Amino acid sequence: MFKFLTDVAIDVAGFFAGTAMGIILALAFDLQVFPDGEEAGSLIAIIMVGLFGGFGLQAARVWRHKKWPDAQTPQ
């Protein structure tokens, strides 16, 4: 049970770190992540946040596998 919780905590931390980086990068390109209406820039910003969240999750899983090689990735 403890291993499962640590795996989930590492995945969540990686996902949140990735989404934070996506939001920061979108704001750096002057794109609105939470706009009042739908605009092309806001759609690009939302896609960036989603992609960076996925990249962060995968980076956390790669890090976890390198640190603990016998850990299994949840399916």
Side-chain angles (χ1 to χ4, degrees), residues 14-72:
F15 180 76
F16 281 152
T19 55
M21 290 299 294
I23 290 172
I24 290 169
L25 190 62
L27 293 176
F29 285 123
D30 199 28
L31 300 172
Q32 294 293 326
V33 180
F34 304 110
D36 293 336
E38 293 185 19
E39 303 170 355
S42 67
L43 293 176
I44 293 171
I46 292 168
I47 290 170
M48 286 175 60
V49 170
L51 284 175
F52 275 86
F55 291 153
L57 175 62
Q58 290 303 315
R61 288 183 176 177
V62 167
W63 175 80
R64 185 180 69 218
H65 184 67
K66 285 184 180 179
K67 188 159 178 71
W68 298 290
D70 60 341
Q72 295 192 4

